[in-house]
């Protein structure tokens, strides 16, 4: 009877280890960031670069004013 109990404990332990390994594998496959937000950030950077090339001084002034604006809670 003692052997049967130890075999059952080993099976449960192995099943738990396999379940945790499967969870880790699925978590690795899941994308870290949604693709849409990464694409949106890339487009925003490109648009900012384009705006800087077109009107460098005006764009810089707008950015500076935004950075220096008082923060309201």
């Amino acid at each position: 009877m003692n052997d049967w109990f130890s075999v059952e404990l080993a099976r449960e332990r192995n099943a738990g280890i396999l379940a945790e390994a499967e969870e880790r594998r699925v978590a690795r496959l899941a994308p870290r960031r949604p693709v849409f937000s990464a694409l949106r950030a890339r487009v925003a950077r490109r648009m900012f670069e384009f705006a800087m090339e077109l009107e460098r001084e005006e764009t810089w002034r707008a950015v500076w004013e935004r950075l220096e604006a008082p923060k309201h809670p």
Side-chain angles (χ1 to χ4, degrees):
M1 180 133 166
N2 193 15
D3 291 334
W4 173 80
F5 187 67
S6 63
V7 168
E8 284 300 315
L9 283 177
R11 284 184 184 159
E12 288 179 13
R13 186 176 61 230
N14 287 341
I17 290 170
L18 288 174
E20 289 176 13
E22 180 66 17
E23 288 176 8
R24 285 193 302 268
R25 185 186 71 80
V26 169
R28 266 197 324 261
L29 294 176
R32 300 276 187 241
R33 296 184 341 187
V35 175
F36 181 72
S37 65
L39 178 63
R40 193 179 86 198
R42 186 180 307 141
V43 168
R45 282 192 296 271
R46 297 285 186 207
M47 287 177 63
F48 182 75
E49 290 172 5
F50 185 67
M52 284 295 292
E53 292 300 319
L54 287 178
E55 296 184 25
R56 186 174 302 267
E57 177 126 1
E58 187 62 32
T59 303
W60 176 247
R61 190 174 300 125
V63 169
W64 185 256
E65 289 172 1
R66 176 78 174 158
L67 291 174
E68 293 297 315
K71 306 268 189 283
H72 297 291

